[in-house]
Amino acid sequence: MTHTWPALPDGSRLALREILIHGVLSRAEIARSLGLSRASLTRAMRLLVAHGMVVEVGTDVRGATGRPSELLQVSSGAWEFLGVKLTKDRLYAAVTDLGGRILALHEEVMSSTVPEDVAAQITAVTAQLRQSNPALCAMGVSLPGDVLVRSGEPIVAASVFLGWADVPFARMVSERTGLATFTANDVHALTAKEHWFGAGAGRESMALVTVGEGVGLGLITNGQVSTGQNGRLGRIGHLPVLGGGPDCGLGHLGCASSYLPSPVIVRNSGHVGATYDEVVELARDGDAPALAAFADAGRALGVVLASVVHVTDPSAIVLTGDGLPVYDIARSAVDDALRGALVPNTDALTIEVQPFEFSEWARAGAVLAIRGLLQD
């Protein structure tokens, strides 16, 4: 079998998306959801089975007719996807199957942030992973920065962390690896992953808030990832939260970045030279300055979450990131600030706390590739 992803007609593509998002489905359920006739669905599914994308897993009685219907699920092994997450100094990679399940993980130090050097490093990692994952057919690269589509091509318009401006990185990587390559802002990619294979699976609207080195927002509206006019949707790190307070570094007093990022919590705790993990342990051991820093961060997070509710009206908020200890240590401060900032009579808010692993950022890159191949 060739591992070049085939062009799929709309019926097959949409049916595959339904199974990816909702899991095992009957033919009747897929037909009802997509409004397809039995003949159209049969043609769509025949193609997906022939390409090794879905498999039949028995029959079940579902729906009002009482008739048994064949059940279908995404197959594994025939198609594999590479996801890459770039930070300012490390490269994380994950190989997944078509269902987003992780098959292999890899990480290494970034030897350079020059775009050509990073593309070459990704190419070497791809060659290494291909030895044990020969079914790789596409790649997604997520990175901290603004990614725009210009003349049909994704461009990294700006990345402060990497020092990039107007870099056609997807093309650079694709030319070197031979894989169809997609790029996106890392938070937007993580949001897409949570929407299809995580806490937001099946929701038409959701917001994702990340806390860690920075503060980020991803948004799903009408079942699609929203990126904004210039690829910058989600810059909530400089949202005013408490008023007054320390300078965030850009002249803003009391914005989210004055309290909530992990390095800022360390600074505000007064424990010079300590790591974030060490300050977390100090707070859990009752250290007063550390607890005070986390309490401020918790209040800031509560206001951020309330602002997300007011602006986006999501069905749920997924909260994740390597800064999640703030939600644990300062939960009462988060809840008090959230309640105090919400408009009265706001509908009950669903907050899904998603345990964080850096491998999920890389997995999000693989899901970015899957979604990219199945876009309208």
Side-chain angles (χ1 to χ4, degrees):
M1 175 186 290
T2 175
H3 289 104
T4 299
W5 187 264
L8 296 175
D10 283 350
S12 297
R13 179 176 53 80
L14 294 174
L16 180 55
R17 284 176 55 173
E18 285 292 302
I19 300 170
L20 282 171
I21 295 171
H22 299 290
V24 177
L25 292 176
S26 69
R27 288 177 179 264
E29 288 169 324
I30 299 169
R32 283 196 300 271
S33 178
L34 300 179
L36 294 177
S37 67
R38 178 174 296 187
S40 295
L41 181 65
T42 297
R43 288 193 297 271
M45 299 315 302
R46 185 182 299 125
L47 188 59
L48 295 178
V49 171
H51 282 303
M53 295 175 181
V54 301
V55 293
E56 296 177 354
V57 290
T59 61
D60 194 13
V61 177
R62 298 190 180 189
T65 64
R67 298 174 182 172
S69 182
E70 292 174 328
L71 300 178
L72 299 133
Q73 71 177 21
V74 175
S75 61
S76 60
W79 301 95
E80 297 173 348
F81 303 83
L82 176 59
V84 174
K85 154 67 173 171
L86 301 178
T87 71
K88 61 185 177 183
D89 55 11
R90 294 194 74 79
L91 182 156
Y92 297 86
V95 176
T96 77
D97 63 11
L98 183 55
R101 292 174 287 270
I102 292 177
L103 305 175
L105 292 172
H106 176 83
E107 70 173 273
E108 63 186 44
V109 173
M110 293 233 318
S111 55
S112 165
T113 57
V114 174
E116 290 78 7
D117 294 342
V118 178
Q121 187 169 357
I122 289 175
T123 301
V125 169
T126 302
Q128 177 182 338
L129 289 171
R130 260 180 167 157
Q131 294 177 13
S132 54
N133 300 277
L136 286 177
C137 66
M139 179 191 315
V141 181
S142 74
L143 50 86
D146 305 328
V147 180
L148 305 179
V149 177
R150 295 177 181 163
S151 301
E153 179 179 20
I155 302 292
V156 182
S159 174
V160 174
F161 281 95
L162 296 171
W164 294 1
D166 297 325
V167 177
F169 195 64
R171 170 157 46 95
M172 293 170 62
V173 173
S174 183
E175 288 174 349
R176 289 164 169 80
T177 64
L179 292 176
T181 303
F182 303 85
T183 53
N185 168 270
D186 50 7
V187 175
H188 295 165
L190 191 64
T191 302
K193 188 271 292 184
E194 286 296 326
H195 180 229
W196 272 24
F197 299 117
R203 294 183 182 272
E204 284 297 298
S205 71
M206 61 162 272
L208 177 136
V209 174
T210 61
V211 290
E213 287 286 320
V215 187
L217 168 70
L219 183 64
I220 298 290
T221 54
N222 299 320
Q224 299 294 324
V225 180
S226 297
T227 60
Q229 178 67 31
N230 299 299
R232 300 188 183 115
L233 186 146
R235 289 186 169 185
I236 58 172
H238 295 282
L239 180 76
V241 288
L242 300 183
D247 187 327
C248 69
L250 296 180
H252 306 151
L253 303 180
C255 71
S257 292
S258 299
Y259 300 102
L260 194 45
S262 301
V264 173
I265 292 175
V266 174
R267 182 196 69 193
N268 291 348
S269 75
H271 292 288
V272 179
T275 67
Y276 177 69
D277 289 341
E278 288 169 345
V279 174
V280 167
E281 291 307 312
L282 285 168
R284 286 177 171 154
D285 289 339
D287 180 81
L291 284 171
F294 272 103
D296 284 343
R299 284 188 284 271
L301 178 57
V303 175
V304 165
L305 294 175
S307 300
V308 170
V309 172
H310 291 154
V311 173
T312 70
D313 188 29
S315 66
I317 294 178
V318 177
L319 179 63
T320 190
D322 55 334
L324 271 183
V326 67
Y327 192 71
D328 176 29
I329 294 171
R331 178 65 181 273
S332 61
V334 176
D335 291 344
D336 289 347
L338 175 59
R339 283 193 297 268
L342 285 175
V343 171
N345 302 318
T346 300
D347 291 340
L349 176 62
T350 299
I351 298 179
E352 299 276 0
V353 178
Q354 194 73 342
F356 178 80
E357 295 289 344
F358 254 104
S359 61
E360 289 302 295
W361 289 100
R363 181 181 175 221
V367 176
L368 171 66
I370 297 169
R371 288 177 69 115
L373 293 172
L374 292 176
Q375 281 180 342
D376 299 339

